[in-house]
């Protein structure tokens, strides 16, 4: 049995039908490719070569998405990169396809650079270096030619300055329960609850009551 490992040199024949079954996806069949090609032709484009050559061979819910799009509903694209080094072809291939999708369907792209995630995952990587790599990688993304008016590229640790006030507004809804610890999105729920219980015990003790 061949083990599919993205970090190793795979030897032998891969059973792609088995992978499709295990991952719960579907094959990109001729009918679906013809459907995508029709949309591409409306924009004066052809079917993407990575589809034609079978490099991308599986999908999940793409028929449903096209159904919604054809009914007039909008969608957006979301992808990203964990900046831990230089960009290589393995990163570029799905981004090239993403660009094609943006052009065919005229949709927004949100591209997330997770410098914080890579900082947590790689002990030898400093946060400042992960942030620097995020901006270096962003240049490679921009160079692909995404529509600048419809593309939002953001770095986690920088975007948090915008995201946190919004998260605080949402969390404030839960503060109505009286537990401002659990309302804070930055607090672990278990530790927040323990802190709340300790605070309650002290208030009861200060009032001269018996703490059980």
């Amino acid at each position: 049995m061949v083990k599919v490992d993205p970090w190793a040199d795979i030897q032998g024949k891969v059973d792609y039908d088995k992978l499709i079954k295990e991952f719960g996806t579907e094959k990109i069949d001729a009918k679906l490719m013809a459907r995508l090609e029709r949309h591409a032709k409306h924009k004066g484009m052809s079917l993407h070569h990575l589809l034609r050559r079978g490099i991308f061979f599986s999908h999940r819910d793409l028929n449903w998405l096209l159904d919604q799009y054809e009914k007039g509903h909008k969608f957006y694209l979301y992808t990203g990169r964990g900046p831990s080094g230089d960009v290589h072809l393995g990163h570029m291939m799905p981004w090239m396809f993403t660009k094609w999708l943006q052009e065919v369907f005229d949709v927004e792209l949100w591209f997330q650079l997770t410098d914080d995630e890579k900082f947590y995952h790689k002990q030898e990587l400093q946060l400042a270096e992960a942030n620097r790599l995020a901006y270096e990688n962003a240049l490679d993304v921009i160079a692909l030619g995404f529509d600048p008016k419809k593309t939002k590229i953001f770095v986690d640790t920088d975007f948090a300055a915008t995201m946190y006030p919004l998260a605080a507004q949402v969390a404030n809804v839960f503060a109505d329960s009286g537990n401002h610890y659990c309302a804070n999105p930055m607090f672990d729920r278990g530790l927040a609850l323990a802190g709340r219980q300790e605070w309650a015990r002290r208030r009861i003790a200060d009032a001269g009551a018996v703490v059980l």
Side-chain angles (χ1 to χ4, degrees):
M1 183 178 67
V2 177
K3 180 181 178 182
V4 178
D5 184 346
W7 294 279
D9 182 16
I10 299 172
Q11 302 291 333
K13 186 177 180 180
V14 176
D15 187 344
Y16 290 104
D17 289 334
K18 181 181 178 182
L19 287 177
I20 288 172
K21 183 178 179 180
E22 288 183 350
F23 279 88
T25 60
E26 299 176 63
K27 282 186 177 181
I28 299 177
D29 56 19
K31 184 178 179 181
L32 179 54
M33 287 211 284
R35 193 175 182 185
L36 289 167
E37 189 171 24
R38 285 197 300 272
H39 284 287
K41 285 183 176 179
H42 288 159
K43 294 294 176 67
M45 300 169 62
S46 60
L47 190 66
H48 198 280
H49 63 278
L50 292 175
L51 288 172
R52 290 199 314 269
R53 298 176 183 178
I55 304 299
F56 293 155
F57 61 90
S58 174
H59 75 98
R60 179 179 287 142
D61 296 329
L62 187 50
N63 278 306
W64 174 85
L65 179 66
L66 292 176
D67 288 341
Q68 299 305 310
Y69 177 78
E70 290 164 4
K71 291 176 183 177
H73 299 299
K74 296 181 179 181
F75 69 92
Y76 64 90
L77 300 167
Y78 166 75
T79 187
R81 158 87 175 125
S84 58
D86 295 330
V87 168
H88 55 67
L89 187 59
H91 303 123
M92 299 288 284
M93 288 173 65
W95 299 347
M96 291 161 61
F97 182 60
T98 301
K99 179 177 179 289
W100 181 84
L101 290 171
Q102 184 182 62
E103 292 174 348
V104 169
F105 296 101
D106 192 29
V107 291
E108 285 191 355
L109 165 65
W110 289 77
F111 196 103
Q112 182 175 11
L113 289 154
T114 56
D115 58 338
D116 54 342
E117 182 267 338
K118 283 300 177 183
F119 170 62
Y120 299 142
H121 180 66
K122 291 190 168 241
Q123 294 299 314
E124 71 279 9
L125 184 64
Q126 297 299 311
L127 184 57
E129 177 63 7
N131 186 262
R132 185 193 69 79
L133 286 168
Y135 280 89
E136 286 291 325
N137 292 173
L139 295 177
D140 295 312
V141 176
I142 294 168
L144 282 171
F146 288 103
D147 185 342
K149 294 182 179 179
K150 293 182 179 294
T151 302
K152 316 292 182 184
I153 302 175
F154 61 99
V155 180
D156 278 4
T157 55
D158 296 335
F159 196 66
T162 301
M163 181 178 66
Y164 185 78
L166 297 176
Q169 291 290 340
V170 173
N172 191 51
V173 174
F174 299 98
D176 290 339
S177 66
N179 191 344
H180 61 281
Y181 293 101
C182 286
N184 193 319
M186 296 298 289
F187 286 175
D188 175 86
R189 293 296 178 263
L191 295 176
L193 181 59
R196 173 69 174 180
Q197 290 172 336
E198 177 62 23
W199 171 82
R201 289 191 183 96
R202 291 181 181 179
R203 287 293 298 272
I204 293 171
D206 290 344
V210 177
V211 180
L212 299 176

